[in-house]
């Protein structure tokens, strides 16, 4: 099957800055794929290359099998991009902006779908409002709508929830999940790792223009099979547990990092032996954020 | 086709929605020039025999407005889109560089011609204006607007900031248009400045356009048209090369 996105050995250099240092990845149709990494890791550069906004220094990128430079018309028709910056055209209303955007894609009569998108993104009240008069959250919704006017099979969202309130964020994810459910391939960059963990089936982590991890989200989580034990004790921590301490908080809580779940028993035994009473105890699974921090530290 | 047409329509809407600023204001400015200069110089100059100064001035002012507004439309639209970032809306769709060029060019020509027609219509209320060769008027109006529209696209692509575009406008476009014989016949200039004027392509746009009204000009309209047409072709080629390479648009 033709991959929805196929990136092969892509590099990008801006003067002395190596934004991408050889990235290859493939996203299958229907996947919900996360692109994670700290600021400056190259996420937006990679997305810009997919969108044809940036030209790679070397390597190739394909959308649904179409080269983004050689077959740019087909590639762009297959791709919808929600840019990171909150951009808008101040001359137009929401409906005008969407009608114009679908015209650029060669769609003459797209009213029914535009209405559906407007409705699904809760923009009906604002359809005839000028873009200038919209709040930041509303502008963000319009950006999502603009990316969808031509029903692209592949949708890329570059930090769509940055600076967006909780309610909109949830509404947005419900809608995007539905699109994914209907067969659209979704690629997402976000700084909210709990979002990526909840949504993405597979994740690539970028650092300094390189992929440092690329796997199913569940595998990445399993990779770090240990757990955390957070304790509040009536006395001092037994010395043999000292090497496990990950963090001592100001309020007296101690966090121990255990390499595997079974180690909990050893902690309990040590506490019993030292006759230290436990006031509170909580066992926690690592989340994607933890995994992310560890991978970034190692890479 | 629809992609091109939509981009043209969007560019049309962009200036038409603010036509007070983009059409009415330049017409008013041209009328003020006409009022002030024709009053101040009424009895002193007769450029062509039997044509009084105010009448002589109108076609030049109309053409100057056509040229400046065609340039302003393409350049300011592109520069603003780049500055605000909404240029991505036209870079993400499958528009070719030719469609991109033609849409911006046509909108620039449309605004230039509308403003020019506005200046002519507003001034014939006050002064009778002959039109010896309407076809030349039309041809020079469109060709001049197209050449300046293409130059406007180049300026818009090149400029990243308002002051860069302002420098382009104030140090290149304004001197070229003001020193092109809008307000005088270059026959009245000293030899050196006459020769210098012949190096200014805008001179031929004004001179040829004026020929269409009076049937008299400083240079043959055929030569003028060849130079204006040549400028347009050269500028279009440059614009297409820039657009195709993605210069300052696709990094």
């Amino acid at each position: 099957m033709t991959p929805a996105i196929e990136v092969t050995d892509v590099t990008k250099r801006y003067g002395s800055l190596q934004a991408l240092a050889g990235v290859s990845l493939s996203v299958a149709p229907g996947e919900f794929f996360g692109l994670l990494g700290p600021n400056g890791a190259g996420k937006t550069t990679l997305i810009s290359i997919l969108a044809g906004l940036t030209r790679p220094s070397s390597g190739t990128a394909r959308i649904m099998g179409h080269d983004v430079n050689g077959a740019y018309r087909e590639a762009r028709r297959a791709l919808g991009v929600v840019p990171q910056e909150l951009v808008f055209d101040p001359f137009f209303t929401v409906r005008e902006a969407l009608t114009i955007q679908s015209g650029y894609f060669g769609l003459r009569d797209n009213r029914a779908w535009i209405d559906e998108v407007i409705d699904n993104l809760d923009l009906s009240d604002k359809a005839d409002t000028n873009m200038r008069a919209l709040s930041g959250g509303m502008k963000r919704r319009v950006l999502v709508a603009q990316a969808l006017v031509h029903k692209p099979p592949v949708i890329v969202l570059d930090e769509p929830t940055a600076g967006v309130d909780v309610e909109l964020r949830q509404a947005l994810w419900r809608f995007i999940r539905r699109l994914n459910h209907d067969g659209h391939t979704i690629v997402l960059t976000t700084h909210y790792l709990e979002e990526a963990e909840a949504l993405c089936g597979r994740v690539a982590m970028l650092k300094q223009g390189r992929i440092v991890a690329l796997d199913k989200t569940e595998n990445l989580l399993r990779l770090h099979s240990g757990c955390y034990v957070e304790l509040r004790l009536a006395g001092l921590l037994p010395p043999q547990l000292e090497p496990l301490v990950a963090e001592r908080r100001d309020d007296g809580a101690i966090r121990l990092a255990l390499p595997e779940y079974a180690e909990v028993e050893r902690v309990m035994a040590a506490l019993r032996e030292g006759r230290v009473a436990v006031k509170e105890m909580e066992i926690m699974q690592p989340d994607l954020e933890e995994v992310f921090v560890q991978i970034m530290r190692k890479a | 086709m629809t992609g091109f047409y939509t981009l043209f329509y969007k560019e049309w809407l962009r200036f038409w929605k603010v036509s007070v600023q983009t059409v009415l204001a330049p017409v008013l400015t041209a009328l003020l020039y006409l009022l002030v200069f024709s009053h101040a110089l009424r009895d002193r100059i007769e450029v062509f025999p039997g044509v009084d100064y105010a009448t002589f001035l109108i076609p030049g002012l109309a053409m100057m407005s056509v040229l400046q507004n065609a340039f302003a439309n393409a350049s300011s639209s592109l520069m603003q889109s780049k500055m605000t970032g909404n240029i991505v809306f036209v870079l993400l769709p499958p528009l070719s560089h030719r469609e991109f060029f033609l849409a911006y060019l046509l909108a620039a020509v449309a605004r230039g011609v509308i403003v020019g027609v506005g200046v002519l219509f507003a001034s014939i209320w006050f002064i009778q204006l002959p039109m010896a060769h309407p076809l030349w008027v039309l041809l020079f109006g469109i060709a001049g607007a197209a050449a300046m529209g293409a130059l406007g696209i180049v300026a818009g692509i090149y400029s990243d900031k308002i002051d860069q575009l302002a420098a382009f406008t104030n140090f290149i476009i304004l001197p070229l248009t003001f020193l092109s014989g809008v307000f005088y016949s270059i026959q009245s200039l000293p030899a050196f400045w006459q020769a210098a004027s012949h190096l200014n392509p805008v001179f031929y746009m004004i001179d040829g356009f004026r020929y269409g009204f009076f049937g008299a000009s400083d240079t043959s309209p055929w030569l003028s048209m060849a130079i204006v047409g040549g400028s347009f072709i050269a500028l279009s080629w440059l614009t297409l090369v820039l657009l195709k390479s993605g210069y300052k648009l696709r990094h």
Side-chain angles (χ1 to χ4, degrees):
Chain A
M1 195 163 38
T2 313
I5 292 175
E6 196 174 20
V7 174
T8 315
D9 299 326
V10 162
T11 68
K12 179 65 187 180
R13 182 177 273 285
Y14 295 104
S16 64
L17 175 78
Q18 186 86 44
L20 290 176
V23 169
S24 298
L25 60 86
S26 174
V27 179
E31 262 197 275
F32 204 130
F33 188 86
L35 205 51
L36 310 179
N39 290 328
K43 304 184 295 289
T44 300
T45 304
L46 185 56
I47 287 175
S48 300
I49 287 172
L50 294 176
L53 298 174
T54 297
R55 291 182 173 156
S57 305
S58 68
T60 56
R62 290 169 184 277
I63 311 287
M64 302 300 285
H66 308 293
D67 186 275
V68 296
N69 287 323
Y72 70 94
R73 281 183 188 268
E74 291 79 3
R76 288 185 207 164
R77 237 174 244 134
L79 183 70
V81 179
V82 181
Q84 192 182 122
E85 310 277 335
L86 208 53
V87 292
F88 63 98
D89 199 322
F91 289 92
F92 304 115
T93 67
V94 173
R95 191 182 292 280
E96 282 172 336
L98 295 177
T99 308
I100 287 170
Q101 201 64 25
S102 56
Y104 291 157
F105 284 90
L107 303 166
R108 224 176 277 260
D109 185 19
N110 200 21
R111 228 189 143 75
W113 173 244
I114 288 176
D115 282 340
E116 200 178 323
V117 172
I118 284 179
D119 196 46
N120 271 305
L121 285 163
D122 277 331
L123 283 164
S124 305
D125 297 347
K126 306 281 180 191
D128 298 309
T129 306
N130 187 287
M131 288 298 304
R132 251 179 312 202
L134 297 185
S135 68
M138 285 291 171
K139 285 187 185 124
R140 180 69 69 186
R141 287 181 207 209
V142 178
L143 276 180
V144 175
Q146 278 176 289
L148 299 176
V149 284
H150 56 296
K151 296 192 194 171
V154 184
I155 302 163
V156 175
L157 304 108
D158 195 359
E159 291 189 40
T161 49
V164 162
D165 67 35
V166 180
E167 204 182 328
L168 170 59
R169 200 183 298 172
Q170 286 175 348
L172 204 58
W173 290 136
R174 262 199 306 278
F175 183 54
I176 289 168
R177 261 206 178 108
R178 222 191 74 200
L179 289 169
N180 182 235
H181 197 257
D182 294 344
H184 293 269
T185 308
I186 311 283
V187 173
L188 166 74
T189 80
T190 179
H191 281 294
Y192 299 101
L193 292 166
E194 69 275 24
E195 285 183 352
E197 187 177 336
L199 293 161
C200 300
R202 223 155 52 96
V203 158
M205 293 187 185
L206 277 158
K207 188 183 180 186
Q208 290 169 348
R210 280 175 209 286
I211 292 181
V212 292
L214 173 64
D215 208 337
K216 285 186 179 165
T217 311
E218 55 190 70
N219 290 349
L220 285 172
L221 290 170
R222 213 179 298 139
L223 204 67
H224 298 266
S225 57
C227 65
Y228 292 91
V229 177
E230 200 163 284
L231 293 165
R232 261 172 222 284
L233 302 173
L236 290 172
L237 187 75
Q240 67 266 42
L241 295 181
E242 234 12 274
L244 298 175
V245 173
E247 192 187 354
R248 276 176 198 276
R249 289 219 304 266
D250 293 343
D251 61 0
I254 300 166
R255 180 184 269 223
L256 305 180
L258 309 187
E260 53 189 318
Y261 212 82
E263 293 279 301
V264 176
E265 182 47 40
R266 201 163 70 89
V267 173
M268 298 308 292
L271 290 171
R272 255 196 319 273
E273 211 172 285
R275 293 175 192 285
V276 185
V278 176
K279 289 202 287 191
E280 265 176 52
M281 176 170 169
E282 199 183 343
I283 299 174
M284 291 173 298
Q285 296 294 326
D287 54 15
L288 196 57
E289 188 153 334
E290 227 90 52
V291 174
F292 179 80
V293 170
Q294 286 185 31
I295 288 176
M296 288 301 149
R297 211 176 278 156
K298 268 191 248 163
Chain B
M1 188 60 200
T2 312
F4 153 75
Y5 174 75
T6 309
L7 185 52
F8 165 68
Y9 174 68
K10 179 230 134 189
E11 280 299 295
W12 168 279
L13 273 188
R14 198 197 70 90
F15 81 80
W16 195 247
K17 281 196 168 196
V18 285
S19 51
V20 170
Q21 178 202 329
T22 54
V23 176
L24 269 182
V27 170
L28 181 68
T29 307
L31 286 182
L32 288 174
Y33 276 125
L34 180 65
L35 193 72
V36 172
F37 280 91
S38 65
H39 176 75
L41 300 171
R42 181 179 7 215
D43 305 319
R44 270 166 260 180
I45 305 175
E46 189 182 82
V47 185
F48 298 138
V51 177
D52 72 32
Y53 182 67
T55 312
F56 168 83
L57 195 54
I58 294 169
L61 279 176
M63 189 57 170
M64 186 172 84
S65 307
V66 170
L67 302 176
Q68 288 177 350
N69 282 280
F71 176 84
N73 202 68
S75 61
S76 66
S77 174
L78 267 172
M79 198 268 310
Q80 280 174 16
S81 283
K82 277 170 55 185
M83 265 184 61
T84 56
N86 64 37
I87 190 86
V88 295
F89 298 142
V90 295
L91 295 179
L92 290 173
L95 293 162
S96 72
H97 66 286
R98 287 188 201 90
E99 288 175 297
F100 191 101
F101 168 72
L102 275 180
Y104 276 90
L105 186 77
L106 226 60
V109 170
R111 172 161 153 205
V113 169
I114 288 173
V115 172
V117 168
V119 173
L120 289 177
F121 265 94
S123 42
I124 54 174
W125 283 96
F126 310 107
I127 297 156
Q128 266 216 321
L129 190 66
M131 200 184 278
H133 308 289
L135 200 62
W136 277 125
V137 171
L138 193 70
L139 271 178
F140 274 101
I142 290 173
M148 289 304 251
L151 188 60
I153 300 175
V154 173
I157 293 172
Y158 178 76
S159 308
D160 299 315
K161 290 179 285 186
I162 291 177
D163 45 337
Q164 282 174 327
L165 184 57
F168 212 105
T169 305
N170 292 320
F171 294 107
I172 297 176
I173 303 303
L174 279 182
L176 283 183
T177 48
F178 265 83
L179 300 178
S180 60
V182 170
F183 298 98
Y184 50 81
S185 162
I186 61 160
Q187 310 290 351
S188 62
L189 295 176
F192 172 78
W193 289 109
Q194 263 191 50
S197 296
H198 278 105
L199 297 175
N200 176 2
V202 180
F203 158 74
Y204 299 93
M205 299 178 190
I206 304 276
D207 198 53
F209 190 68
R210 194 180 275 135
Y211 175 83
F213 288 88
F214 305 120
S217 56
D218 291 331
T219 312
S220 148
W222 294 99
L223 174 67
S224 293
M225 184 42 81
I227 290 173
V228 176
S231 309
F232 168 63
I233 290 168
L235 286 165
S236 299
W237 174 80
L238 172 67
T239 317
L240 284 165
V241 167
L242 290 180
L243 285 173
K244 185 154 193 244
S245 74
Y247 177 73
K248 288 216 177 189
L249 291 174
R250 301 184 193 273
H251 302 282

